[in-house]
Amino acid sequence: MLISRFGHGAAIAAAAVLLLILAAPAAARTKWADVRVVTHTGRTLAEFRQYTGPVAVRASRKADCFGTDNPSSGKRYRLHDPNALGIVKDATASDRALRPLLISDAFLDDGFGLGVCSIGGFDTVDFSYWYLAVNRIAASTGASQTPIGDGDSVLWYFTSGAESGSPRELALLGPASAKPGAPFTVKAKRYADNGKSSPAAGVRVSADGKPIGRTGPDGELKATLANSAMLQATGTKSDVPSNRVQVCVSADSGRCPDAHGKTIYGSEHGDRIKGTRGPDHISARGGADVVNLRSGGEDRVSCGGGRDQVILEHGDRDDHVASSCERVRR
């Protein structure tokens, strides 16, 4: 039902995007945010750091989530400033799992803006919708009116439609490394749609998909691993599965990183990309990019079109820089 969908407020704030048509600066600086795209089926379509700037989106004629009486036109629209819709559009070029991104302009003239019908083949049906939260707060405006800045977290969550109220985002914290069989602590938090957190008691923590225990009243779980694994927490049908935490397990501490790394993607524009303390995998993509790896970690970098520059710490020899990066400076 159309009215029910648009009545979800933050839900359709994620799926209903008001068009930005104001003129933009000639060379707007790109921004970066950590993006997660997750479904109620437990599938993580994307979880990485993405840079974004001005983008063009198309209202696809294949976007039919509002019925045959409300077709989409196929027109193109320009989003000038970094925002929550633009970053997922840029992310589709980084990860094919997010394709297709189907957007409808069926209700653009009625003030609802552009509607997101599908991400990665997950189509809105009946009462399901794409929920948007930035910094764990449910969006209260259209996604293109929801600006993002450096360091933000952006969640797109495909609901089942059977949630009790707004989805609650789970967040999992854990170490980058551990010894085989030695106990370590992971902590889970649950965020309400206003951004307030509380310990996530009783949620299941899995390692590579296999349950290893449930959190206590304080949201914590003491666990052990024999081998390196990816951890994730899941809760009730109203909870969004947590971020994934990679734990490197080795008796030799020198074989594991001191901090978690990131997968980082640039945009088609000239980005100023900065690595993390951990081992990063960076794809700068198009534009004349500058990639700064001085933060540490054993990084892998590839560059796309444009004359790119990679900055290394003096004496740094553990990074892998592809030949597509034209300049390397120490």
Side-chain angles (χ1 to χ4, degrees):
M1 296 176 60
L2 181 61
I3 294 176
S4 298
R5 286 186 190 171
F6 282 103
H8 278 291
I12 291 302
V17 184
L18 296 178
L19 177 62
L20 297 180
I21 58 174
L22 297 177
R29 188 173 74 86
T30 60
K31 303 288 186 179
W32 64 267
D34 291 326
V35 178
R36 287 206 305 135
V37 183
V38 189
T39 75
H40 68 85
T41 63
R43 184 174 174 184
T44 297
L45 298 179
E47 186 172 350
F48 47 76
R49 183 164 293 176
Q50 177 70 54
Y51 282 72
T52 188
V55 300
V57 296
R58 183 184 294 277
S60 173
R61 290 190 174 90
K62 295 180 180 179
D64 58 358
C65 56
F66 300 119
T68 56
D69 293 335
N70 301 294
S72 184
S73 72
K75 293 180 181 178
R76 293 174 64 88
Y77 301 91
R78 185 73 173 172
L79 308 178
H80 294 295
D81 298 316
N83 59 73
L85 179 66
I87 200 167
V88 78
K89 174 61 167 60
D90 267 325
T92 62
S94 303
D95 193 332
R96 299 177 68 89
L98 297 176
R99 306 177 200 171
L101 172 63
L102 299 184
I103 299 169
S104 171
D105 62 357
F107 293 96
L108 182 66
D109 294 337
D110 296 326
F112 292 113
L114 303 172
V116 174
C117 290
S118 179
I119 303 177
F122 286 85
D123 304 325
T124 57
V125 178
D126 296 326
F127 293 100
S128 67
Y129 57 90
W130 278 100
Y131 168 84
L132 169 65
V134 177
N135 296 329
R136 301 189 169 93
I137 299 173
S140 59
T141 61
S144 71
Q145 288 186 318
T146 303
I148 59 170
D150 290 341
D152 286 347
S153 66
V154 178
L155 170 71
W156 284 88
Y157 177 62
F158 183 65
T159 72
S160 67
E163 290 80 7
S164 177
S166 295
R168 303 172 303 182
E169 186 175 353
L170 295 179
L172 187 66
L173 301 174
S177 62
K179 300 284 188 182
F184 61 90
T185 300
V186 294
K187 185 173 184 178
K189 292 183 179 181
R190 178 182 282 114
Y191 288 85
D193 62 1
N194 61 4
K196 292 184 177 180
S197 68
S198 60
V203 300
R204 184 178 67 177
V205 179
S206 300
D208 291 340
K210 298 180 180 179
I212 59 173
R214 290 184 178 271
T215 57
D218 57 359
E220 296 185 358
L221 168 69
K222 285 193 177 297
T224 61
L225 291 173
N227 301 292
S228 300
M230 187 76 77
L231 307 184
Q232 189 174 36
T234 54
T236 70
K237 66 180 181 180
S238 295
D239 291 324
V240 180
S242 78
N243 56 296
R244 298 175 294 184
V245 176
Q246 178 68 47
V247 180
C248 174
V249 176
S250 176
D252 180 1
S253 58
R255 299 186 62 182
C256 289
D258 296 329
H260 295 291
K262 289 282 186 180
T263 297
I264 304 174
Y265 292 106
S267 70
E268 63 182 9
H269 306 285
D271 303 306
R272 300 297 181 263
I273 298 174
K274 186 176 181 180
T276 73
R277 290 179 50 241
D280 301 318
H281 287 72
I282 301 173
S283 176
R285 289 180 50 198
D289 305 303
V290 177
V291 182
N292 189 337
L293 302 181
R294 288 177 175 169
S295 297
E298 186 175 342
D299 305 311
R300 305 185 69 90
V301 183
S302 64
C303 300
R307 185 165 177 79
D308 306 301
Q309 179 180 191
V310 176
I311 303 174
L312 303 176
E313 192 70 42
H314 183 71
D316 187 349
R317 295 291 185 270
D318 62 357
D319 295 318
H320 303 270
V321 180
S323 59
S324 56
C325 304
E326 289 83 1
R327 299 175 60 197
V328 176
R329 181 164 66 86
R330 298 182 188 275

